[in-house]
Amino acid sequence: MIAKILVIDDEESIRFTFERFLGAAGYAVTTALNHADALARLTEGEYDVVFADIILEDGTGIDVLREIKALGLNCQVIMITGDPGFETAAESIRLGAFDYISKPVNQESLLHVTRTALKFKLVSEEKERYRANLEAIFRSVRDAIVTVDKEGVVVELNDAASYMCGFTRDDIGKRFDALFGNCSGRCREIIEQGIRTGEPRIVDRIECRPANRPARVISVRMYPLLDQQNMASGVVMSLRDDTQMAALESELKEHRKFHRIVGVSEPMQKVYSLIKALAGVQTTVLITGESGTGKELVAEALHLAGDRSHKPLVKVNCSAVPEELLESELFGHVKGAFTGAIRDYPGRLHRADGGTIFFDEIGDLSPKVQLKLLRVLEGKEFEQVGSSAPTKVDVRLIAATHRNLAERVSRGDLREDLYYRLKVVEIRLPPLRERRKDIPLLVEHFRNKFNALFKKNIEAVSSDVLSAFLEYHWPGNVREFEHTLEHAFVICSQNIVTFDHLPSDFMNAPKFEKQSSTRLRELDSQAILEALDKTAWNKAKAARLLGVDRVTLYRKIKKYNLTPVSFSL
């Protein structure tokens, strides 16, 4: 763009000379003959350079300079003087004039000082843009930012620091360590370490408990400030308020895992909601679902989340106890009730008094036990084997089955009245194939569990194995899934689980196609190179992409003599 120049002088010849020299050089020149005329021109438009004669008929060029500074105009002012040694020329420089030029005006000198002033203006404008942008960023970011010099004195802070830490602009110029009398001083320690070592420091999730202010969870980032000689001149510290994030993560964990139940899928969220709704209610609950879906975990969650959590949770596997012993095991017996009954024996219902009793596979109960259990549900009492005296008991009953109880009722295997007493509220657990979204989360859950159990450091399962997990039918549900991973962790001696580590019954399952290490043995060098190229020759990532461990990949690289150069050839 063409530079705009204003020339202020009460001598017409000077104005003419300036206009001719500068116009010939391609500048847009405007002239003013006195102070009042100059102010009118300055209010009408913007100028890049202003030449002002020191002595004017109605004032001075110094007055014009002061007006320009007061108006905040971004232009370079050059004074015109008939006496280079005149005191006001030096005074004008002190007041902010860029330079001065003496009469008579030399064309070369005039153009030189003009070019220099324009260059200086461009540089100062660029610096001002940077300063304004930095200031805007500094003041608008949500993180608190504090800069401190190497003496520990606060140089600058933003509005977020005032809000988060209670600082004010008056604290600028004070020592940082003097501003933290009302908290633990962790930030002060980080600042002092940064000044002392000149090394950056990152500290996540520290507790900030200032007096008379809400407690917060803060993450700190501290970096050294370097001067032109690359020497530390202080530090800059940013404080991010992670209080809400920590709360959200806590809530997310609650949705990801309820007690020992893991899952984020919509069906599992419905289960969590039902557990929460039923935890404080003493009604009977029937948990249904295929084998291995986690019915016992739901029973535990119902007990632990309710008012009876401080009392016993007694479990009964109805299919595991022989029928001839189940009645005595449940209700207890008195001494002499049968051969071998040498003392009174309190049954599991008695031991669960005040707490919860959980009947797993309740559909396998005999008709006699069904009748006695119905009496417990209706009257909260029962008779021990060999006794006619009723025993009162206060228990909450939770039952579970993988069978279709309605069919058992229709066949006469289950009392209809007991069925309806059991099925006051039903919680249906979805099979794993209906909650495939939870499989990656279950992988991570069991990875942490088995790494701790077997003292290993397995990082992940391969992408091909995970894909197979997501496609597999899982007839045994989460129990089968857990046993499959446990087998893999026992076998695996590398940092990633591949198909080679999975049990044979999983690998031989119908419609399942093995795709991992066996497939790799059939891949040519080009396929391996493509995987390495996609991961920038990060062998660990390439191994994950191919679904193998790193040792297998290293062996293939060595066998084919692969290098980064060989891909381009």
Side-chain angles (χ1 to χ4, degrees):
M1 295 179 64
I2 299 174
K4 298 174 66 177
I5 298 175
L6 175 64
V7 179
I8 310 166
D9 199 298
D10 52 9
E11 295 184 37
E12 184 178 357
S13 60
I14 296 295
R15 296 197 303 273
F16 175 77
T17 300
F18 272 75
E19 191 171 12
R20 184 164 61 89
F21 288 165
L22 295 172
Y27 301 119
V29 182
T30 301
T31 61
L33 57 88
N34 54 36
H35 177 266
D37 194 17
L39 291 183
R41 297 287 186 272
L42 289 168
T43 55
E44 291 172 358
E46 296 181 359
Y47 296 92
D48 299 298
V49 178
V50 174
F51 288 92
D53 193 3
I54 288 182
I55 301 175
L56 299 170
E57 61 182 27
D58 59 347
T60 69
I62 300 295
D63 296 331
V64 175
L65 175 61
R66 287 196 177 100
E67 293 284 352
I68 288 174
K69 296 299 179 184
L71 293 171
L73 301 180
N74 185 22
C75 57
Q76 303 302 312
V77 180
I78 301 173
M79 309 307 295
I80 306 171
T81 177
D83 182 2
F86 193 54
E87 291 182 3
T88 50
E91 176 68 8
S92 65
I93 299 298
R94 188 185 67 80
L95 292 174
F98 175 73
D99 203 348
Y100 63 87
I101 188 170
S102 59
K103 302 175 183 179
V105 177
N106 177 275
Q107 182 177 13
E108 183 178 347
S109 298
L110 174 62
L111 296 179
H112 174 73
V113 73
T114 302
R115 287 193 296 267
T116 304
L118 289 171
K119 288 179 182 179
F120 183 83
K121 182 176 184 293
L122 288 174
V123 171
S124 63
E125 285 178 343
E126 188 69 15
K127 289 177 65 177
E128 176 60 24
R129 277 195 295 271
Y130 278 121
R131 187 203 64 77
N133 288 339
L134 286 174
E135 183 176 346
I137 294 170
F138 194 72
R139 295 191 178 281
S140 64
V141 294
R142 298 176 62 181
D143 292 354
I145 301 176
V146 181
T147 58
V148 178
D149 67 18
K150 60 183 179 181
E151 303 300 327
V153 175
V154 177
V155 176
E156 187 57 88
L157 54 87
N158 66 349
D159 293 341
S162 300
Y163 172 76
M164 192 180 301
C165 305
F167 297 153
T168 68
R169 302 297 297 176
D170 294 336
D171 291 324
I172 295 175
K174 297 179 181 178
R175 289 187 58 83
F176 186 81
D177 55 14
L179 305 180
F180 277 87
N182 295 326
C183 74
S184 63
R186 289 291 304 280
C187 293
R188 181 181 64 246
E189 295 171 6
I190 295 170
I191 287 282
E192 289 173 351
Q193 183 184 32
I195 294 173
R196 185 173 64 256
T197 65
E199 297 293 330
R201 180 87 184 276
I202 297 176
V203 183
D204 287 325
R205 304 294 175 85
I206 64 174
E207 292 188 24
C208 180
R209 298 181 177 275
N212 303 319
R213 297 177 68 86
R216 298 176 183 274
V217 177
I218 302 293
S219 293
V220 182
R221 301 289 185 270
M222 186 275 297
Y223 298 96
L225 290 171
L226 303 178
D227 58 21
Q228 293 181 343
Q229 285 73 41
N230 210 34
M231 300 293 291
S233 61
V235 296
V236 57
M237 180 180 69
S238 68
L239 307 173
R240 186 180 67 227
D241 188 349
D242 284 339
T243 307
Q244 185 176 9
M245 184 61 66
L248 288 173
E249 287 179 359
S250 177
E251 183 179 351
L252 177 61
K253 286 181 181 178
E254 182 180 350
H255 287 293
R256 286 162 59 100
K257 189 173 182 180
F258 190 88
H259 292 277
R260 293 167 54 207
I261 311 167
V262 177
V264 294
S265 61
E266 184 178 349
M268 293 309 297
Q269 296 302 314
K270 292 179 179 178
V271 170
Y272 296 164
S273 297
L274 270 174
I275 293 173
K276 291 177 182 178
L278 295 171
V281 181
Q282 302 309 310
T283 188
T284 302
V285 178
L286 178 64
I287 307 169
T288 61
E290 297 179 6
S291 295
T293 50
K295 296 185 288 295
E296 185 174 340
L297 293 180
V298 172
E300 291 176 359
L302 281 166
H303 174 73
L304 294 173
D307 299 334
R308 298 174 179 263
S309 60
H310 62 291
K311 293 292 185 177
L313 169 63
V314 178
K315 301 176 183 179
V316 182
N317 189 330
C318 302
S319 62
V321 181
E323 184 177 343
E324 61 272 14
L325 298 179
L326 184 58
E327 182 182 5
S328 176
E329 187 65 30
L330 283 178
F331 303 105
H333 62 258
V334 296
K335 181 180 178 180
F338 51 83
T339 303
I342 59 176
R343 65 176 64 88
D344 290 347
Y345 175 75
R348 298 196 190 187
L349 272 168
H350 186 80
R351 294 201 299 272
D353 190 25
T356 305
I357 188 163
F358 170 56
F359 287 86
D360 196 8
E361 298 304 339
I362 198 166
D364 294 340
L365 290 177
S366 67
K368 184 178 180 181
V369 174
Q370 290 180 32
L371 180 60
K372 295 189 73 170
L373 184 58
L374 180 62
R375 185 180 176 189
V376 173
L377 291 174
E378 291 179 342
K380 299 291 185 181
E381 65 179 23
F382 62 92
E383 295 173 358
Q384 290 182 292
V385 176
S387 173
S388 59
T391 299
K392 287 288 185 179
V393 68
D394 174 25
V395 295
R396 181 187 189 183
L397 191 144
I398 300 174
T401 183
H402 76 284
R403 302 180 183 275
N404 187 326
L405 295 187
E407 288 184 0
R408 293 185 67 79
V409 170
S410 64
R411 293 200 306 265
D413 295 332
L414 181 69
R415 293 179 62 98
E416 186 175 16
D417 48 2
L418 176 61
Y419 171 65
Y420 288 115
R421 288 293 302 178
L422 291 173
K423 194 182 178 181
V424 177
V425 179
E426 179 181 357
I427 297 179
R428 177 189 174 273
L429 287 184
L432 189 54
R433 60 185 173 275
E434 292 181 9
R435 43 178 291 218
R436 297 183 189 275
K437 183 179 179 181
D438 295 330
I439 289 178
L441 191 62
L442 287 166
V443 168
E444 188 65 15
H445 170 74
F446 290 123
R447 185 184 72 85
N448 292 329
K449 175 182 176 178
F450 294 136
N451 272 337
L453 180 63
F454 301 125
K455 295 180 173 56
K456 293 191 174 185
N457 189 28
I458 295 175
E459 297 176 1
V461 302
S462 74
S463 58
D464 283 341
V465 168
L466 181 58
S467 296
F469 285 170
L470 291 169
E471 294 171 4
Y472 185 58
H473 188 66
W474 296 111
N477 295 293
V478 180
R479 185 184 293 117
E480 181 187 4
F481 184 84
E482 180 178 5
H483 291 167
T484 299
L485 272 180
E486 185 174 3
H487 178 280
F489 271 66
V490 170
I491 300 299
C492 182
S493 58
Q494 310 301 327
N495 68 330
I496 187 168
V497 171
T498 68
F499 282 104
D500 291 338
H501 307 124
L502 300 181
S504 57
D505 55 348
F506 180 87
M507 299 302 297
N508 296 328
K511 299 182 180 180
F512 178 75
E513 189 174 330
K514 187 175 179 181
Q515 299 178 1
S516 182
S517 298
T518 301
R519 184 186 63 154
L520 180 63
R521 288 191 285 271
E522 300 171 355
L523 291 176
D524 57 17
S525 59
Q526 184 71 15
I528 300 172
L529 277 168
E530 287 177 359
L532 289 165
D533 182 63
K534 288 179 181 178
T535 58
W537 276 78
N538 184 313
K539 297 180 182 66
K541 291 182 179 179
R544 292 191 187 97
L545 185 64
L546 291 166
V548 298
D549 56 64
R550 281 183 285 185
V551 173
T552 304
L553 181 61
Y554 291 152
R555 189 167 61 248
K556 287 294 181 180
I557 292 173
K558 184 176 180 180
K559 175 183 176 181
Y560 292 125
N561 193 27
L562 302 179
T563 65
V565 178
S566 61
F567 186 78
S568 61
L569 297 176

